[in-house]
Amino acid sequence: MDEKELKQKTGKTANLYFSTVKEEEKPYHLWRYFDKELARDMSLYITGQMYSREKIPHKTRQLITVAALTVLSRPEELKLHIHAALNVGCSREEVAEVIFQTSIYGGVPATNTALSVLKEVLEERES
Amino acid sequence: MDEKELKQKTGKTANLYFSTVKEEEKPYHLWRYFDKELARDMSLYITGQMYSREKIPHKTRQLITVAALTVLSRPEELKLHIHAALNVGCSREEVAEVIFQTSIYGGVPATNTALSVLKEVLEERES
Amino acid sequence: MDEKELKQKTGKTANLYFSTVKEEEKPYHLWRYFDKELARDMSLYITGQMYSREKIPHKTRQLITVAALTVLSRPEELKLHIHAALNVGCSREEVAEVIFQTSIYGGVPATNTALSVLKEVLEERES
Amino acid sequence: MDEKELKQKTGKTANLYFSTVKEEEKPYHLWRYFDKELARDMSLYITGQMYSREKIPHKTRQLITVAALTVLSRPEELKLHIHAALNVGCSREEVAEVIFQTSIYGGVPATNTALSVLKEVLEERES
Amino acid sequence: MDEKELKQKTGKTANLYFSTVKEEEKPYHLWRYFDKELARDMSLYITGQMYSREKIPHKTRQLITVAALTVLSRPEELKLHIHAALNVGCSREEVAEVIFQTSIYGGVPATNTALSVLKEVLEERES
Amino acid sequence: MDEKELKQKTGKTANLYFSTVKEEEKPYHLWRYFDKELARDMSLYITGQMYSREKIPHKTRQLITVAALTVLSRPEELKLHIHAALNVGCSREEVAEVIFQTSIYGGVPATNTALSVLKEVLEERES
């Protein structure tokens, strides 16, 4: 994949996932605030080279991300990826199910925090 | 769901997931060693009430579990659930993809540990 | 234990522990928001089958919970269980002692966060 | 507390807790291998100033330690403190109960690892 | 080192690191709220015996602390130590670099949280 | 930076850091076992774009890595980076110091595990 193609893929995937996320909540801007070149490298790697891969469907990929962020208890990042999960077609029941299920591995408190984030995102999107 | 039905579901799900896992590596026996009644309650809850739910397909559920156990770095438990993932029809490429992807959230060292476990399970199953 | 007995135990234990917790802060309502049947299963398992066990006294059980939630750094859940610890008769000195001691295992920053939560709960209860 | 008193307390507490632990498994020797003066400072602080406090009984203190090390998944350190718990009079049922209970907070895989360590320690002590 | 010397070192190091931190945000006061004697022991050990060591320069020590608190995701404590890092002469570029680099080990979400804290501290200090 | 330059930087940095690490212990080979193209992308990003940056000296960068891997308790990865730290000129005292210091943030058990790894690496290199 040449650089032009990588940039296109990055843009397309970013748009597919995060179109409903407020601009100022996107980590890319925080990275740029400190280092523009590194922000670009990170974005091309994470979004262009990792998220854009097609070995598993977008829906599965986002449910996996929700699972990882739930057990790690990273509520801010989880908010972005619950948006992404809903944007690629996951239902609220599927997202909730993943969060409930991971209570077995990461404990019930991490699940409770993640369910609060899901509730907040749903209310935001419905309003 | 009455108790008989719950027991049947628990047995059916346990068999579907863990038929290739060595008997002595199943946590159920460890639980029973310390407390038979609690082992039964935990088993009916975890396997019967959580794993047996049908809101997401078994394949998705197991990939989610692989993601959670990778970022938490729980290699022994991961071994069991990589078996389960393969047993319900996930390909080795799909399992590897999940482990690679979660490096963004849980860091590369956790991914490396999980890939080693996957390699070990694949070699065991192929031998 | 039959289901009626389990429900009674669950209610009795929930009442003993969480009577001073605001209704909207109880995870049970969050679970119900997403899945009523699962909320019931989780509640019967966690409160009825785990918390209601009598192998260690309630006071010890709650100090153990405070220790676990401190080192995991789960401040919202900790708030609920500091209430529970005080409700079953632990003194503020005992709760503080547990939080201080776990700094050896989980680090001082986790202890600082937990002490802030304890201070907040004490001030709430005294006002 | 003057220094002589602190040293005495440290020695007394270390002896009470770790008399059944093999000399080479005690962290103190590892610390000394790298820095003798710091090893002494750490030992006086951790064992003399933290573990020797008397605000909660030794049995409770060790069950708390078992809870913290279980959810953090620190199996080597847990081994030492399961010895300590048994040495100050906790029963195997009490230690197992703490490990089971913390599955709600730290997840079932961490509990499984800790139960394996408990089983190993019990078998060592019985042989 | 006798006690008088230890107290002097503790005061000198605390002043060097935390002079720009608001008094009420210093953990020492939280410790004292619960236990004055233990607060003193912890302070002499942590600040006097650990932070005051001279085997690595203050700048390196604070960058190390920033790395540890980033991957553990302890934003409140990180705030104090970003102040300390800047107070001992680290540049904002160096602090940002450490936070970016640790994304490889602790994941990108932990890095994002830490960058937000750094941005907040920089804005506070510049205003 | 064009691709040729990036590859050269990646090779040079990998050689500087990991020349004393056994070939089969390098994560790159594990990545390649599952996906050659992704292995290449990860290697160019992690080693070429992150480790090769020159905003902080190699010695500081490796001490930071040791700190992060200690508190996260990732002993296998830590082994590689203790090699790297020693290879770029850190002394054993400096590495030990970092591991001791992080006990304040990540707890003493994580420090003990890391010190064992350091001892093992030193013995390997001296033999």
Side-chain angles (χ1 to χ4, degrees):
Chain A
M1 183 159 49
D2 69 12
E3 193 167 327
K4 197 180 149 193
E5 203 188 332
L6 180 58
K7 275 189 194 167
Q8 281 178 337
K9 255 196 169 168
T10 303
K12 199 178 141 197
T13 305
N15 198 51
L16 172 65
Y17 284 0
F18 301 121
S19 60
T20 59
V21 172
K22 286 176 202 147
E23 206 55 33
E24 70 270 20
E25 291 186 359
K26 293 181 184 171
Y28 179 66
H29 298 289
L30 192 57
W31 303 338
R32 269 180 69 84
Y33 179 87
F34 290 105
D35 191 319
K36 283 181 193 179
E37 200 191 331
L38 183 57
R40 186 188 150 282
D41 289 348
M42 289 178 71
S43 179
L44 292 178
Y45 173 69
I46 298 173
T47 311
Q49 293 184 320
M50 289 296 267
Y51 291 171
S52 301
R53 286 165 62 86
E54 292 169 3
K55 303 232 167 170
I56 49 176
H58 284 303
K59 278 186 53 175
T60 308
R61 189 177 291 285
Q62 286 305 318
L63 292 178
I64 278 158
T65 306
V66 167
L69 295 174
T70 296
V71 299
L72 288 167
S73 214
R74 301 280 184 261
E76 283 122 49
E77 198 85 10
L78 183 60
K79 199 179 160 186
L80 307 183
H81 283 281
I82 286 174
H83 272 287
L86 298 169
N87 290 343
V88 298
C90 299
S91 70
R92 56 181 278 172
E93 283 74 20
E94 286 169 316
V95 177
E97 184 68 15
V98 167
I99 296 175
F100 276 121
Q101 184 203 345
T102 50
S103 67
I104 303 297
Y105 313 112
V108 176
T111 283
N112 293 343
T113 297
L115 288 175
S116 295
V117 175
L118 173 56
K119 189 161 179 275
E120 187 193 322
V121 172
L122 291 172
E123 286 167 356
E124 248 181 59
R125 291 169 73 106
E126 279 155 17
S127 71
Chain B
M1 185 159 47
D2 70 10
E3 193 168 329
K4 197 179 152 193
E5 203 188 333
L6 179 57
K7 276 187 191 167
Q8 282 179 337
K9 254 196 170 169
T10 303
K12 198 179 142 198
T13 304
N15 199 51
L16 172 66
Y17 284 179
F18 301 122
S19 61
T20 60
V21 172
K22 286 176 203 147
E23 206 55 33
E24 70 270 20
E25 292 185 0
K26 293 182 184 168
Y28 179 66
H29 297 289
L30 192 58
W31 303 338
R32 271 182 66 86
Y33 179 87
F34 290 105
D35 192 319
K36 284 182 193 178
E37 198 189 336
L38 183 57
R40 185 186 149 283
D41 288 347
M42 288 177 71
S43 178
L44 292 177
Y45 173 69
I46 298 173
T47 310
Q49 292 183 320
M50 287 296 265
Y51 292 171
S52 302
R53 285 164 64 86
E54 293 169 2
K55 303 231 167 173
I56 49 177
H58 284 302
K59 277 186 54 175
T60 308
R61 188 177 291 284
Q62 285 305 319
L63 293 178
I64 278 158
T65 306
V66 166
L69 295 173
T70 295
V71 299
L72 288 167
S73 215
R74 301 279 184 261
E76 284 122 48
E77 198 85 11
L78 182 60
K79 200 180 160 187
L80 307 183
H81 282 282
I82 286 175
H83 272 288
L86 299 168
N87 290 343
V88 298
C90 299
S91 70
R92 54 180 277 171
E93 283 75 19
E94 287 170 316
V95 177
E97 183 69 14
V98 167
I99 295 175
F100 276 120
Q101 184 202 344
T102 50
S103 66
I104 303 297
Y105 314 113
V108 176
T111 283
N112 293 342
T113 297
L115 288 175
S116 295
V117 175
L118 173 56
K119 189 162 178 273
E120 187 194 323
V121 172
L122 290 172
E123 286 168 355
E124 247 181 59
R125 290 169 74 106
E126 279 154 17
S127 71
Chain C
M1 183 159 49
D2 69 13
E3 192 168 327
K4 195 180 151 194
E5 203 187 334
L6 179 58
K7 275 188 194 169
Q8 282 178 336
K9 255 196 170 170
T10 303
K12 199 178 141 198
T13 304
N15 198 51
L16 172 66
Y17 284 178
F18 301 122
S19 61
T20 60
V21 172
K22 285 176 203 147
E23 207 54 33
E24 70 271 19
E25 292 186 359
K26 293 182 183 169
Y28 179 66
H29 298 289
L30 192 58
W31 303 339
R32 271 181 68 85
Y33 179 87
F34 291 104
D35 191 319
K36 283 183 193 178
E37 198 189 334
L38 184 57
R40 185 188 150 281
D41 288 348
M42 289 177 72
S43 178
L44 292 177
Y45 173 68
I46 298 173
T47 310
Q49 292 184 320
M50 288 296 266
Y51 292 171
S52 301
R53 285 165 63 85
E54 291 169 4
K55 302 231 167 172
I56 48 175
H58 284 302
K59 278 185 54 174
T60 308
R61 188 177 291 284
Q62 286 305 319
L63 292 179
I64 278 159
T65 306
V66 166
L69 295 173
T70 295
V71 299
L72 289 167
S73 216
R74 301 280 183 260
E76 284 121 50
E77 198 85 11
L78 182 60
K79 199 179 160 186
L80 307 183
H81 282 282
I82 286 175
H83 272 288
L86 299 169
N87 291 344
V88 297
C90 298
S91 70
R92 55 181 277 171
E93 282 76 20
E94 287 170 316
V95 177
E97 183 69 15
V98 166
I99 295 175
F100 276 121
Q101 184 204 343
T102 50
S103 66
I104 302 297
Y105 313 113
V108 176
T111 284
N112 293 344
T113 297
L115 288 175
S116 295
V117 176
L118 173 56
K119 189 161 178 274
E120 187 193 323
V121 172
L122 290 172
E123 287 167 356
E124 246 181 61
R125 290 169 75 105
E126 278 156 16
S127 71
Chain D
M1 183 159 49
D2 69 12
E3 192 169 325
K4 197 180 150 192
E5 203 187 333
L6 179 58
K7 275 188 193 167
Q8 282 179 337
K9 255 196 169 170
T10 302
K12 199 178 141 197
T13 304
N15 198 51
L16 172 66
Y17 283 179
F18 301 122
S19 61
T20 60
V21 172
K22 286 176 203 149
E23 206 56 31
E24 70 271 20
E25 292 186 358
K26 293 180 184 170
Y28 179 66
H29 298 289
L30 191 58
W31 303 338
R32 270 182 68 85
Y33 178 88
F34 291 104
D35 191 319
K36 283 183 192 177
E37 199 189 334
L38 184 57
R40 185 187 151 281
D41 288 348
M42 288 178 71
S43 179
L44 292 178
Y45 173 69
I46 298 173
T47 311
Q49 293 184 319
M50 287 296 266
Y51 291 171
S52 301
R53 285 164 63 86
E54 291 168 3
K55 302 230 167 171
I56 48 176
H58 285 301
K59 279 185 52 174
T60 308
R61 187 176 292 283
Q62 285 305 318
L63 293 178
I64 278 159
T65 307
V66 166
L69 295 173
T70 295
V71 298
L72 288 167
S73 215
R74 303 278 184 261
E76 284 121 49
E77 198 85 11
L78 182 60
K79 199 179 160 186
L80 306 183
H81 282 282
I82 287 175
H83 272 288
L86 298 169
N87 290 344
V88 298
C90 299
S91 70
R92 56 181 277 171
E93 283 76 20
E94 287 169 317
V95 177
E97 183 69 15
V98 167
I99 295 174
F100 276 121
Q101 184 204 344
T102 50
S103 66
I104 302 298
Y105 314 112
V108 176
T111 283
N112 293 343
T113 297
L115 288 175
S116 294
V117 175
L118 173 57
K119 189 161 178 275
E120 187 194 322
V121 172
L122 290 172
E123 286 167 356
E124 247 181 60
R125 289 170 74 106
E126 278 155 17
S127 72
Chain E
M1 184 156 51
D2 69 12
E3 193 168 327
K4 196 181 152 193
E5 204 187 333
L6 179 57
K7 276 188 192 167
Q8 282 179 337
K9 255 195 169 170
T10 303
K12 198 178 141 198
T13 304
N15 198 52
L16 172 66
Y17 284 179
F18 301 121
S19 61
T20 59
V21 172
K22 285 177 204 147
E23 206 55 33
E24 70 271 20
E25 292 186 359
K26 294 182 183 169
Y28 179 66
H29 298 289
L30 192 58
W31 302 340
R32 270 181 68 85
Y33 178 87
F34 290 105
D35 191 318
K36 284 181 193 179
E37 199 190 335
L38 184 57
R40 186 187 150 283
D41 289 347
M42 289 177 72
S43 178
L44 292 177
Y45 173 69
I46 297 173
T47 310
Q49 293 184 319
M50 288 297 265
Y51 292 171
S52 301
R53 285 164 64 86
E54 293 169 2
K55 304 232 166 172
I56 49 176
H58 284 303
K59 278 186 53 175
T60 308
R61 189 177 291 286
Q62 285 305 319
L63 292 178
I64 278 158
T65 306
V66 166
L69 295 173
T70 296
V71 299
L72 288 166
S73 217
R74 302 279 184 261
E76 283 122 49
E77 198 85 11
L78 182 60
K79 200 179 161 187
L80 306 183
H81 283 281
I82 287 176
H83 272 288
L86 299 169
N87 290 344
V88 298
C90 298
S91 70
R92 55 180 276 172
E93 284 75 20
E94 287 170 315
V95 176
E97 183 69 15
V98 167
I99 295 175
F100 275 120
Q101 184 203 344
T102 49
S103 66
I104 304 296
Y105 313 112
V108 176
T111 283
N112 293 343
T113 298
L115 288 175
S116 295
V117 175
L118 173 56
K119 189 162 179 273
E120 185 193 324
V121 172
L122 291 171
E123 287 168 355
E124 246 181 61
R125 290 169 74 105
E126 279 155 16
S127 69
Chain F
M1 183 158 49
D2 69 11
E3 192 167 327
K4 197 180 150 194
E5 204 188 331
L6 179 57
K7 275 189 192 166
Q8 281 178 337
K9 254 196 171 169
T10 303
K12 198 178 140 198
T13 304
N15 198 52
L16 172 66
Y17 283 179
F18 301 122
S19 61
T20 60
V21 172
K22 286 177 203 146
E23 206 54 33
E24 71 270 19
E25 292 185 0
K26 293 180 184 170
Y28 179 66
H29 298 289
L30 192 57
W31 302 339
R32 269 182 69 84
Y33 178 88
F34 290 104
D35 191 319
K36 283 182 193 178
E37 199 190 332
L38 183 57
R40 184 186 150 285
D41 289 347
M42 289 177 72
S43 179
L44 292 178
Y45 174 68
I46 298 173
T47 311
Q49 293 183 320
M50 287 297 264
Y51 291 172
S52 301
R53 285 164 64 85
E54 293 169 1
K55 302 230 167 174
I56 49 175
H58 284 303
K59 278 186 53 175
T60 308
R61 189 177 290 285
Q62 285 305 318
L63 292 179
I64 278 158
T65 307
V66 167
L69 295 173
T70 296
V71 299
L72 288 167
S73 216
R74 302 281 184 259
E76 283 122 49
E77 198 85 11
L78 182 60
K79 200 179 160 186
L80 307 182
H81 282 281
I82 286 175
H83 272 288
L86 299 169
N87 290 344
V88 297
C90 298
S91 70
R92 55 180 278 173
E93 283 75 20
E94 287 170 316
V95 177
E97 183 69 13
V98 167
I99 296 175
F100 275 121
Q101 184 203 343
T102 49
S103 65
I104 302 297
Y105 313 112
V108 176
T111 283
N112 293 343
T113 298
L115 288 175
S116 295
V117 175
L118 173 56
K119 189 161 179 274
E120 188 193 322
V121 173
L122 290 172
E123 287 167 355
E124 247 181 61
R125 290 169 74 105
E126 279 155 15
S127 71

